[in-house]
Amino acid sequence: MKIEKINESKYKITGLVRTNVLRDILELFDVSSSNDKDNEITINKVKSFHSFKDWEKTKHPLIDYISAEEMFDNFAAISLYLEKIGLQLSHLDPTKIVVINDNIFVPVNLDDLYIIKSGNITIDKPYDKKNPYLSLELKENTNIPFSLNFKSFYSSLALLIYDKLIGLKENSDYYEGLKIIFTSRLYWILRYCLLENTEDRLIVIV
């Protein structure tokens, strides 16, 4: 992925796949876009545009609770849209997320997008085991191809939010860490996304 600034309100991203799906995702957030080639897309009329890594540099190590809730809702809307059209990401990749107007988070790793068949997706290519937001199942997996329930993605989303709100540590006890926000909406949302049984995981929008 390469980001090119055209002017103060227009940016071009190249090195992409499935730009038609990406345009649909951008429309969920009323972001204007166009694409002249299959592997690139131009984002129009935005106030700011950053890679996720650059956006992180403008923040403190952790974000506040309200921002974490909004970030979850953002990715949840994308996930539910993808499921509606029979697709799901295997995981979130922090090197392939763009941030628009400081509050819209869009994954562009659509080469990690798979067709849902009988409730499962099949990972058919290698992935980065060092990615801190790999789903719980992908962290443990050693085989390619690998078939897993599409809800495995929910744990990847939960780990990103957990990291930005609380901070991931090696061998984290996620349930224990979540106690600092016990009884909050986000506590229960993340608990459901991190359930041990993949099929029982839920994205709850309330």
Side-chain angles (χ1 to χ4, degrees):
M1 177 186 73
K2 180 180 178 181
I3 298 173
E4 177 186 353
K5 182 177 181 179
I6 307 301
N7 57 43
E8 290 300 323
S9 63
K10 181 181 289 189
Y11 295 80
K12 180 183 290 185
I13 317 173
T14 55
L16 300 173
V17 299
R18 295 185 172 179
T19 50
N20 59 322
V21 176
L22 181 55
R23 287 192 67 184
D24 289 344
I25 291 172
L26 291 167
E27 286 182 9
L28 293 175
F29 304 100
D30 297 320
V31 175
S32 172
S33 66
S34 59
N35 62 309
D36 299 321
K37 298 180 181 178
D38 289 340
N39 67 340
E40 68 179 42
I41 198 163
T42 301
I43 312 295
N44 305 304
K45 301 177 182 178
V46 297
K47 296 177 181 177
S48 66
F49 188 93
H50 304 283
S51 69
F52 188 73
K53 289 297 186 183
D54 286 342
W55 174 83
E56 284 184 307
K57 294 175 184 176
T58 69
K59 305 294 177 184
H60 295 292
L62 302 177
I63 61 176
D64 61 55
Y65 177 89
I66 297 299
S67 298
E69 249 193 0
E70 291 173 347
M71 185 184 290
F72 178 89
D73 290 343
N74 174 116
F75 283 112
I78 293 170
S79 177
L80 295 175
Y81 165 73
L82 291 174
E83 291 169 28
K84 185 177 179 180
I85 61 173
L87 301 169
Q88 185 55 284
L89 286 165
S90 57
H91 62 279
L92 290 171
D93 181 343
T95 68
K96 295 181 180 179
I97 297 173
V98 296
V99 185
I100 301 169
N101 298 338
D102 283 331
N103 63 355
I104 299 171
F105 301 86
V106 179
V108 295
N109 58 317
L110 299 189
D111 49 335
D112 297 313
L113 190 62
Y114 295 91
I115 296 172
I116 300 172
K117 294 182 178 179
S118 300
N120 290 336
I121 59 174
T122 300
I123 314 303
D124 58 5
K125 62 185 181 67
Y127 52 89
D128 182 8
K129 295 280 280 191
K130 294 180 180 179
N131 178 354
Y133 308 139
L134 278 182
S135 70
L136 301 180
E137 291 69 35
L138 290 182
K139 285 179 184 291
E140 300 297 326
N141 175 52
T142 57
N143 299 312
I144 297 291
F146 178 51
S147 183
L148 69 166
N149 190 279
F150 74 92
K151 294 181 181 181
S152 175
F153 171 77
Y154 299 175
S155 64
S156 178
L157 169 54
L159 290 176
L160 185 149
I161 304 302
Y162 184 102
D163 185 37
K164 295 298 98 188
L165 181 64
I166 298 168
L168 276 176
K169 297 178 182 178
E170 191 172 352
N171 300 318
S172 290
D173 181 335
Y174 308 121
Y175 291 165
E176 186 67 26
L178 285 172
K179 286 183 179 179
I180 64 172
I181 58 167
F182 182 64
T183 74
S184 69
R185 171 179 178 257
L186 201 52
Y187 170 84
W188 293 109
I189 285 173
L190 297 182
R191 278 289 303 255
Y192 280 123
C193 287
L194 290 167
L195 289 173
E196 185 174 350
N197 187 338
T198 316
E199 295 182 5
D200 291 338
R201 292 177 192 159
L202 294 171
I203 280 184
V204 181
I205 303 294
V206 292

